[in-house]
Amino acid sequence: MNPRVRQRVDEDGSDMNRKVRQRVDEDGKDKSRKVRQRVDEDGSDMSRRVRQRVDEDGKDKVGAPSYLLTGDEDAAPKVQESSKDWSSLTYDLMLHVFTLLDNRDRASLASTCTTLRSLGASPYLWSSLDLRAHRFDDSAAASLADRCADLEKVRFDGLDSAAALVNLKARKLREITGESCENLTDATLSMIIARHEALESLELGRGFGERITSQAIKIIAICCPKLKKLRISRMIDVSAEAILSLAEHCPLLSDVGFLDCLNINEEALGKVVSLRYLTVTRTLNMNWRAAAESWGKLPNLTGLDVSRTGVDHGTVSRLLTSSKSLKVVCALNCPVLEHDADFNPGRFEGKLLIAKFNNTLNGIASLFFEDNSSKMMPEDDTRRWLEGNLSRMLLSLTESNLLGLNGFWQKDGAKLFLRLMQSSQEEVQERATRGLASFIHLSDDSDSIYRERADSVVRDGGIPILFKLAESWKESFQSEAAKAIANLSLNADAAKAVSEEGGVSVLLGLAKSKNRLVAQEAAGAIWNLSLGDAYKVTILSPYGGVNVLMDLLFRWSYEYGELMERAAGALANLAGDDKCSMDIAKAGGVNALVTLARNCEYEGAREHAVRGLANLAAHDDSNNNNAAIGEVPRALETIIQLTRSRHGGVKQEAAGALWNLAYDENNRELIAELGGVEASVALANSCMNNTSRDLQKSAAGALWSLSNSEDHSIVIGREGGIPPLVALARSQYEDVHEVAAGALWNLSFNHVNALRIVEEEGVLALGRMCTSSPSKMARFLAALTLAYIFDRRMDERVRASPKHLANIRRSGLKYIESYINTFMDPQTLATAASSYTSSMLAKVLKRVRIPEVDILRCSDKEIERFVTMLRNPSPVLKKIAAFALLQFTVPETSHAEHHASLMHDTGYPKLLRIAAATSMPHEAKIFAKIVLRNLEHHQPECSKGKRVSTSK
């Protein structure tokens, strides 16, 4: 891969190939750039195992569907062509077609004519309504009211007001399921309940209950005599009076759940004789002795969930022993129970205890399958209740990421989630799929644990199950499945399985969805798949992935920052491939990314838009994208402005873009005219300390490219660019000090800059680098910089040299000599000096060659300076000059022909022969002989007049 192509940036600065793992981010903020995806706004960027984020505040939610909404024809199921006119189809058949569409597509189809509008308003189609992906407010309710006369079920996430639910005018409503209703009070809940006396099920989950008191429970009991199921979370106190009211007024009540509550009256629950299923998960203050005594007398109690509570083995034992009806006790993550070594759950014959220490899968299988068979048992209420509770609990455990559960997850996690994803209950499938996405990579997992979990999902047949859900017409399934696929796709084997089973086409189809959440999660999955070079071409062809991603940028508002980030991230990854980068440019990608970087306020989207531009510009040797970006109006101006961003990732990518773009001479001049040199110097000064490693590297890289022009080099020195580069040359990170050395090498060509480097104690930093850096390239560049500083040009032009300049010069030359000596041991030197045969010279070349130098391209003035250095009185400078020319002319390297052409056209081979024949040090003679041998190799090409010159 081109070293200037950047995929993703880890928070720890360890790599630029971002692993984006999807993360559940409740606050909507951008996290690691650790997939992903992260993963993060501190300037060090994401670890970027980007994990999927879930909008909880409803800020970006789209309006509710109505007959005025425009549908997405591409997302609708394809109907087989027929010679019959659709108007000849029966009413029942057309109605069935409507049942296969989601609400948005039903509205789109119904808007085409009066007949279809009548069909679309059929009560049969409006028995249930899922509003979680939409803003549920008064206006949304009013637009839906005409169709909700026979509505029986409604689900929502966030309720702006009680009036919204009342305005649906759904007097036949039997089931209400809602989450994120923090503002709901006794008064508003009472208003809702009073209008829906036919209610049979009321579930108010996460983000609900702190402002609800027992008074509301009593009103529910009085107003809803048909109530069968009640689940409420996060109440502070559930009084005996409230529970007894339920027992008195709701004779059909069989399923009660008080989740995450502070206090519950245990004895009163024992008076609700109709109870079959009781859930008290995460309830803090429980009298377990009283609970065992009263609940054990419930005549119909079949299932009990006490997960994540302080229940002990005594209570569990008494309940399983005393209750004849009790079949299942779920006690996942109960520390007191789990730490009792004497507890033996196997002694309760015919009863199932689901706990972390127990054989959970085998126990569940006894409820799901017939004995010694894979044949499913008929579904009953107990199984449905257990599936619902397990899916909730497992999802909660993954999202809270509690310690001590890794063994449980490794043993049973994947199988449990995949089994629940095949439930007949849609809510269970959805929660299990969301839980699987979180399970695949929890926040404190190591890479090895992530790989094990991803492999287990693939091994247990998870990919086909996810695809089946992704191809469902239910948008909630689509988004959750895409989220899980995104997390899996960071694993090489899983990504291969996703690609081989047609996952790319499925994800690109989901990315076309009119539902923002679906499109966003699909874009995230494509982003992660695009990390693998093997799948980039697959994304492009034959599925037209670039056009799909570009369409996301054009079709959706920039207000949806996470969607923009994921689409831009995928395009940026694709732009790292030469062929893909050309396709993106042809599709208008440069303009799209520039516009996104300018106008989107979401920093993550800006960051990846600029990264995309940087990657497009990284292929200047094979296409003209680099030059083309400079011609786009305000493109360079935008990038320069973003170097001043407060967001570290944005600044890093902007500097990286300048680094690549400044390789083009025209771009370099335009950047300078727009103040890019001064901006880059300011950025370098701002990131000397306490900033990310990659930001430091990019800042130094921008100065390295800009300093290819001597005029700009002078400006960099004058504006204060040398002190930060010297500081970065002391960095412990080899990639940082390597790039800093490259910039200092360019700057030291000018004698004023050379003196500034000396004054900033740069000689010591460079000396340490060229003798001890792990990077061969860094040592080479440091040695060349010291050679430029001390080849007497600075002495000739500086009238009043510092008194200690002579001592510094001796130190600098010693550093260079120590560096050269690392390549030539005495035995090799003696052998080579006695015999200049081709085989011996080839052996020396193989020993001293530095492959990384292949990326360096010198100007004619630089080549001239090294040739002139061969006549310098200093033996050390003769050695380093010959050594440098050797590296620049090695046959078959990228710029060797260019360098050989410069030397041939100026008659330098003759000077080299003279120098090699004079009293030069043995090392210099050997290196000069190898240079002449290299030039002979390039003689045919040079005779054709192939000469490319750059100005210094």
Side-chain angles (χ1 to χ4, degrees), residues 361 364 368-369 374 376-377 379 383-384 387-388 391 394 413-434 436 456-469 477 481:
L361 279 174
I364 295 174
F368 287 17
F369 301 96
S374 60
M376 295 286 289
M377 294 178 66
E379 190 174 272
R383 178 175 155 187
R384 292 173 63 85
E387 286 182 343
S391 63
L394 293 174
K415 290 183 174 67
L416 278 172
F417 281 118
L418 294 175
R419 184 164 293 175
L420 292 170
M421 286 164 61
Q422 299 174 77
S423 168
S424 63
Q425 301 179 77
E426 292 182 348
E427 295 178 13
V428 171
Q429 289 181 286
E430 184 181 324
R431 281 193 295 264
T433 308
R434 186 189 307 174
L436 181 72
S456 68
V457 173
V458 176
R459 184 173 57 251
D460 294 329
I463 300 291
I465 296 173
L466 286 169
F467 283 172
K468 182 177 179 180
L469 293 172
F477 284 4

Side-chain angles (χ1 to χ4, degrees), residues 52 72 74-77 100-102 104-105 132 429-430 433 465-486 506-507 509-523 525:
Q52 298 291 341
D72 178 18
D74 292 335
L100 300 177
L101 306 178
D102 57 36
R104 179 179 286 102
D105 290 331
R132 288 173 300 161
Q429 289 181 286
E430 184 181 324
T433 308
I465 296 173
L466 286 169
F467 283 172
K468 182 177 179 180
L469 293 172
E471 293 175 314
S472 165
W473 64 270
K474 287 185 67 68
E475 293 174 335
S476 58
F477 284 4
Q478 294 171 0
S479 62
E480 299 299 345
K483 189 184 302 183
I485 293 170
V506 172
L507 292 170
L510 294 179
K512 299 175 184 178
S513 172
K514 291 293 184 180
N515 182 300
R516 178 181 58 83
L517 292 178
V518 174
Q520 180 173 298
E521 304 301 353

Side-chain angles (χ1 to χ4, degrees), residues 885-951:
L885 291 171
L886 179 156
Q887 301 295 340
F888 295 141
T889 57
V890 174
E892 310 301 332
T893 55
S894 299
H895 303 297
E897 183 180 333
H898 162 71
H899 296 143
S901 176
L902 293 178
M903 296 183 72
H904 275 292
D905 289 352
T906 51
Y908 290 148
K910 182 178 180 180
L911 295 176
L912 276 168
R913 292 188 184 93
I914 296 173
T918 59
S919 58
M920 291 180 69
H922 289 309
E923 295 92 336
K925 282 187 176 182
I926 295 169
F927 296 151
K929 292 281 188 181
I930 295 174
V931 174
L932 288 170
R933 183 171 174 270
N934 291 344
L935 293 177
E936 289 173 2
H937 176 87
H938 293 289
Q939 183 65 45
E941 288 86 353
C942 297
S943 65
K944 296 176 184 178
K946 294 184 179 180
R947 180 174 183 268
V948 181
S949 178
T950 59
S951 62

Side-chain angles (χ1 to χ4, degrees), residues 810-866:
R810 280 193 293 272
S811 297
L813 294 178
K814 285 182 179 179
Y815 289 133
I816 298 173
E817 187 165 26
S818 297
Y819 170 71
I820 293 294
N821 289 340
T822 61
F823 291 91
M824 299 293 288
D825 62 85
Q827 183 178 355
T828 302
L829 178 62
T831 305
S834 62
S835 173
Y836 295 118
T837 63
S838 295
S839 59
M840 177 54 65
L841 293 178
K843 182 178 179 181
V844 174
L845 176 60
K846 183 177 180 180
R847 177 183 177 85
V848 303
R849 185 193 171 193
I850 305 172
E852 294 84 353
V853 175
D854 187 33
I855 68 171
L856 299 179
R857 179 184 173 95
C858 297
S859 67
D860 52 355
K861 291 184 180 180
E862 287 173 315
I863 295 296
E864 178 188 6
R865 188 158 182 173
F866 285 117

Side-chain angles (χ1 to χ4, degrees), residues 99-359:
T99 64
L100 300 177
L101 306 178
D102 57 36
N103 291 331
R104 179 179 286 102
D105 290 331
R106 288 178 188 175
S108 176
L109 183 58
S111 67
T112 57
C113 69
T114 304
T115 302
L116 292 180
R117 180 173 298 178
S118 176
L119 272 169
S122 169
Y124 178 76
L125 299 174
W126 294 90
S127 60
S128 65
L129 190 60
D130 188 347
L131 296 169
R132 288 173 300 161
H134 311 283
R135 189 186 302 279
F136 188 22
D137 53 19
D138 295 348
S139 61
S143 68
L144 293 167
D146 292 343
R147 305 181 182 194
C148 294
D150 294 297
L151 185 66
E152 295 181 351
K153 301 178 183 180
V154 64
R155 295 186 69 184
F156 56 85
D157 189 355
L159 185 64
D160 287 0
S161 69
L165 199 54
V166 172
N167 287 343
L168 286 177
K169 299 178 183 179
R171 300 304 294 265
K172 297 181 182 180
L173 202 59
R174 294 190 298 109
E175 296 183 16
I176 295 177
T177 303
E179 294 185 352
S180 305
C181 304
E182 294 87 349
N183 297 325
L184 210 59
T185 62
D186 282 357
T188 52
L189 182 57
S190 299
M191 177 195 283
I192 293 170
I193 297 303
R195 301 294 184 93
H196 302 100
E197 61 276 2
L199 206 61
E200 296 179 5
S201 174
L202 177 62
E203 295 188 64
L204 299 172
R206 297 184 304 176
F208 173 85
E210 291 183 348
R211 302 176 65 182
I212 299 299
T213 70
S214 293
Q215 186 63 30
I217 303 297
K218 290 192 287 184
I219 295 173
I220 292 171
I222 294 170
C223 295
C224 303
K226 298 180 181 179
L227 193 66
K228 297 178 181 179
K229 182 176 183 179
L230 176 65
R231 284 178 174 266
I232 295 182
S233 67
R234 302 183 67 178
M235 287 185 63
I236 295 174
D237 182 71
V238 185
S239 69
E241 186 180 1
I243 295 173
L244 292 174
S245 182
L246 289 170
E248 178 183 357
H249 298 286
C250 303
L252 303 177
L253 186 61
S254 61
D255 187 346
V256 170
F258 293 114
L259 294 73
D260 303 303
C261 296
L262 187 60
N263 299 296
I264 300 174
N265 190 287
E266 304 86 358
E267 295 180 0
L269 281 172
K271 303 293 179 59
V272 188
V273 295
S274 59
L275 267 185
R276 294 189 64 201
Y277 307 106
L278 176 60
T279 304
V280 291
T281 57
R282 294 187 66 178
T283 296
L284 298 179
N285 301 324
M286 293 287 292
N287 183 340
W288 291 110
R289 184 178 295 275
E293 184 177 347
S294 57
W295 298 352
K297 298 176 183 178
L298 288 168
N300 301 304
L301 186 63
T302 306
L304 174 64
D305 193 342
V306 292
S307 298
R308 300 186 71 177
T309 66
V311 69
D312 55 35
H313 77 279
T315 301
V316 174
S317 297
R318 283 193 292 274
L319 282 167
L320 289 172
T321 303
S322 61
S323 176
K324 295 180 180 180
S325 61
L326 188 59
K327 291 177 58 178
V328 182
V329 174
C330 189
L332 284 172
N333 201 40
C334 296
V336 178
L337 180 66
E338 291 161 3
H339 290 125
D340 192 330
D342 298 329
F343 182 59
N344 178 20
R347 60 191 175 92
F348 305 106
E349 187 177 352
K351 306 206 174 186
L352 172 62
L353 173 63
I354 299 175
K356 189 173 73 172
F357 57 80
N358 211 5
N359 198 330

Side-chain angles (χ1 to χ4, degrees), residues 47-65:
S47 71
R48 294 234 190 194
R49 303 179 172 186
V50 181
R51 295 185 192 155
Q52 298 291 341
R53 301 165 190 145
V54 181
D55 290 333
E56 295 293 348
D57 58 0
K59 179 180 178 181
D60 289 334
K61 294 182 180 177
V62 298

